[in-house]
Amino acid sequence: MNYKVLALLFFFFSLNLISQEKVTLEYSNVSLSEVFKDLEEKFKIKFSYNSELVNNRIINLKRQDYLLEDILLTLEEKVAISFKKVSKRYYTAKSKVLRITDTQQLQEILIKEYLTTGISKKNEDASISLMPKKLGILPGLTEPDVLQSIQLLPGVQSPTETASGLFIRGGTPDQNLILWDGIKMYHSGHFFGTISAFNPYITDEIKLYKSGTKAKYGNRISGVIDITSDNYIPQKIEGGAGINMTHADVFLKAPLNDKVAFILSGRRSITDMFNTETFKNLSQRVFQETKISDGNKVFEDDEVLTTNDLFNFKDFTFKAVVKPNENNEISISNLFTNNKLDYGFLIEEFDEASSDKLEITNQGSSFNWNHKYNNALSHDFNAYYSKFDLEYVGSNNITNEFSDELKKQNTIDDFGLSFDTNLVLRESASIGLGYQFSSNKVNYGLSFMDSESPEENFDESNESTNNAHAVYFDYKYNKSNKWLINAGLRANYFSVIDRIYVEPRVQVETRLSSSLKYRVSVENLHQAVSQVVEFNTQEFGLEDQIWVLSDDEEIPVLSSTQFTSGFLFNKKGWNIDLEAYYKKVRGLTSFTLGFEVANDFFSKGESDVFGLDLLVKKKIQNYRTWLSYSFINNDFTFDNINSGNEFSGNSDITHHFTWSHTYEWNQFNISLGWNIRTGIPYTKGVGIIDTPEGSVIEYDVINDSRLPDYHRLDVSTTYEFNVSKNENWKGKIGFSLLNIYNKNNLLSRTYESRQDSNGDIVLREINKSSIGLTPNLIFRIEF
């Protein structure tokens, strides 16, 4: 395999590459309009802008070997102009409006390449911005996967090797607020989380908050991932299509006129038509040690016939963008994601048939209206509807002997609206005031029917609704580019427990020198909807978590208090970002964490998280390298577990280190990344003991053992080319390898009691491993 990789890399290097054009610029007191004309001539492009934009704006700039992208970023920094690439040749330029809830450009330290192109550190808040269309190549990725890209940032971990299983600074995935055009998402992955459910080719920007969260974000206690899709009106029809070894996609952006446009996209798995090597490896990782992987065998030598083998996923989006004038922007967005699984097995010797059917859907719609009254006052109005639906049916039967059936359903109907006003008081100060309403109806049902043991049958269901009202206030103060203060206050009312929660949030930054600044933030957050683990479907082995609303008893409201402090340095191609944090989380339960070893199954607890995130990056022309390191100490304390003493959290990854490299050579890109981390804790099973209720597993001290250290090396490479002579049609081919040296990393270790061939009850260790050596190929065409 190594020779094949080298041969493929040599092939890419041997292609006839077309170099990116670089120019030398020298502007001394030149008007912005003249700068635009000069750039149009040098790069064969065209700017579209209002003539008032360039009035009385003078540019002083001297640079050598400058790419167009670098020039535009510099102009954005100098004159507060926002550029949007509409097509290969056309760009729009607009003046940035200072709004408290939007991006504001500050003339201070600007990290416009936090890791690589398309990833930037925002000046006006604590967010990190990812723009998929500008995103440089990343290790192991041939496409800019929306959620997998985030995992290269310090403080963001995925112990399960999935795109959607994001643990941000000790928080669990259900504690993250994920928005797509204002729609709350309750299921963000395809194929059990291995691929994100968001199409990157119609995604404009992803904002990630690990701390310093703005007051407009609520009802989650960990990270915020705010995704916005394309919101511009192209001058002509644009589109593209691509295929890789798991799925195919297509998108289209079509203007009706200069004020209205439609954007459509669709993706679908190809795995039910082509059994690719990539899908085989992903399936092996996802289905290992589940009912599907062993075909519902009772004994190892059972011969199993597969009677049903169906799995597919798909997602569709539709968006209408209306811009009747300079002061109004209206958009209507729609999203549909679906995962469907249907497996059946037959053990012919016993005529025993089993079936597992699972379908997960998350769909939603939103309406957004932004109105600008003048340069100082504007408002945003958003209304959304989100629906999550999970249905599972599992059955077993032997003809004329017995039959059983287990059903699970979990649905969420979420409707909400918000109204934000933004007012610039003066050049150094602005305020924002907003109101939000949301109504969550959460339904859970579980039933079991057994023809042989009807006394074990049950049918349980629960439905509850939480109407939440929130008012919030933001104040921003920026004094002479020396001090930046963001202060916010949010008040939440949750009807499900009839209580008000107040959330103060403060962020302070000061510039210590031209290349160094210091940041500190404090915030308090609450969450009324979360996921719990249920063990009735553990034999199926997949999707064992369900969404529930807090009842202030068995499921309390989650609360988090986080303090963050750090430094940011940027000079001569060096970026260093160091941040320490402490987080206290209350309201955890043994239901939400799924402890199998607790003596008293229901127990309340809390966690104390102390962490340190470090990023060191160096850019040398077209070569970039960065080291990312995260230290985390996440301790749990529960009343009735481990005698009330502290123990390591379930996903406590003490040390996490990545070292990545990217190199751009003309139209060829290559990236190599090494990932190493501490193994997660687990509770060791020591034997089987007999009790009046039957045989049970005896465990050692909870989470007192750790899995072996995890390490993996990934590589990816892409090549872009022109399909047509006029460069209107572009092509892209790419290749990636995950886990190059095929390391068998353990992701989890659990135990079960099982009857052996002699009829004795024995302890069985269940290990789940990471993905092995996995190739992927991509081919794309865009116009």
Side-chain angles (χ1 to χ4, degrees), residues 268 272 306 308-312 340-344 356 358:
R268 192 191 186 281
D272 50 352
T306 301
N308 240 357
D309 185 357
L310 169 68
F311 174 78
N312 61 60
K340 183 179 291 187
L341 177 147
D342 185 356
Y343 275 83
D356 291 279
L358 174 69

Side-chain angles (χ1 to χ4, degrees), residues 4-63:
K4 294 180 180 178
V5 175
L6 291 174
L8 185 61
L9 293 177
F10 180 78
F11 167 75
F12 278 122
F13 274 111
S14 301
L15 292 173
N16 183 22
L17 305 176
I18 303 171
S19 63
Q20 299 181 49
E21 185 177 0
K22 295 182 179 181
V23 299
T24 297
L25 301 176
E26 185 171 356
Y27 302 128
S28 178
N29 293 325
V30 178
S31 68
L32 183 57
S33 60
E34 292 300 318
V35 171
F36 280 175
K37 290 178 182 178
D38 186 51
L39 294 177
E40 287 177 339
E41 182 178 342
K42 282 184 168 65
F43 290 98
K44 304 298 185 292
I45 60 174
K46 186 71 176 176
F47 290 107
S48 174
Y49 56 89
N50 190 309
S51 60
E52 295 181 359
L53 180 72
V54 297
N55 288 345
N56 303 318
R57 298 206 182 194
I58 302 299
I59 300 297
N60 289 282
L61 179 65
K62 184 177 181 180
R63 295 288 190 277

Side-chain angles (χ1 to χ4, degrees), residues 265-316:
S265 76
R267 294 192 301 174
R268 192 191 186 281
S269 59
I270 61 171
T271 52
D272 50 352
M273 296 174 278
F274 306 101
N275 193 14
T276 66
E277 188 68 22
T278 306
F279 180 66
K280 288 179 183 178
N281 289 359
L282 288 174
S283 298
Q284 185 176 358
R285 194 203 68 76
V286 168
F287 295 134
Q288 62 182 311
E289 297 294 344
T290 67
K291 187 178 179 181
I292 292 174
S293 65
D294 63 18
N296 201 34
K297 290 182 180 180
V298 178
F299 302 106
E300 291 296 328
D301 56 353
D302 284 341
E303 295 185 8
V304 179
L305 175 68
T306 301
T307 58
N308 240 357
D309 185 357
L310 169 68
F311 174 78
N312 61 60
F313 63 80
K314 54 183 175 285
D315 61 68
F316 305 101

Side-chain angles (χ1 to χ4, degrees), residues 453-657:
S453 306
E455 69 278 1
E456 296 182 3
N457 293 352
F458 62 85
D459 189 353
E460 301 174 357
S461 64
N462 178 270
E463 181 176 296
S464 54
T465 300
N466 178 41
N467 293 321
H469 301 266
V471 292
Y472 55 89
F473 172 81
D474 276 305
Y475 174 75
K476 181 186 292 291
Y477 176 77
N478 175 34
K479 180 62 175 176
S480 303
N481 299 324
K482 175 68 175 179
W483 289 95
L484 174 65
I485 300 174
N486 286 313
L489 186 66
R490 181 184 177 96
N492 300 299
Y493 169 75
F494 299 142
S495 68
V496 70
I497 55 175
D498 192 23
R499 188 173 300 174
I500 296 175
Y501 294 90
V502 179
E503 300 177 349
R505 309 176 188 189
V506 179
Q507 175 197 350
V508 179
E509 291 182 6
T510 181
R511 187 166 62 173
L512 303 178
S513 71
S514 61
S515 56
L516 180 67
K517 68 178 177 181
Y518 170 72
R519 171 182 290 160
V520 61
S521 66
V522 181
E523 61 185 358
N524 185 241
L525 309 169
H526 295 87
Q527 180 172 337
V529 60
S530 57
Q531 287 184 315
V532 301
V533 177
E534 56 85 19
F535 292 100
N536 291 285
T537 58
Q538 63 182 338
E539 183 183 352
F540 175 55
L542 296 165
E543 297 296 337
D544 60 350
Q545 292 185 313
I546 58 170
W547 287 97
V548 296
L549 278 172
S550 300
D551 58 13
D552 214 24
E553 294 179 2
E554 291 189 341
I555 310 295
V557 170
L558 293 168
S559 69
S560 168
T561 302
Q562 182 173 197
F563 172 81
T564 305
S565 177
F567 294 90
L568 183 61
F569 175 82
N570 179 35
K571 190 174 183 180
K572 294 183 178 180
W574 285 97
N575 293 339
I576 302 176
D577 191 356
L578 175 65
E579 205 165 58
Y581 61 91
Y582 171 76
K583 183 192 293 188
K584 180 83 169 182
V585 178
R586 300 176 181 85
L588 300 175
T589 71
S590 50
F591 287 159
T592 56
L593 295 169
F595 292 120
E596 300 180 65
V597 298
N599 295 324
D600 184 344
F601 183 70
F602 177 72
S603 183
K604 293 183 180 181
E606 58 187 30
S607 71
D608 286 279
V609 185
F610 172 75
L612 182 74
D613 294 336
L614 173 65
L615 175 72
V616 179
K617 179 208 161 187
K618 176 64 176 175
K619 179 183 178 182
I620 306 172
Q621 295 182 346
N622 293 334
Y623 168 71
R624 300 170 181 86
T625 182
W626 65 87
L627 300 174
S628 171
Y629 170 72
S630 292
F631 167 83
I632 188 170
N633 184 68
N634 187 0
D635 289 332
F636 288 164
T637 305
F638 279 77
D639 296 337
N640 303 320
I641 301 177
N642 199 36
S643 303
N645 297 318
E646 285 186 348
F647 59 94
S648 296
N650 292 354
S651 58
D652 179 46
I653 298 175
T654 309
H655 304 284
H656 188 186
F657 173 87

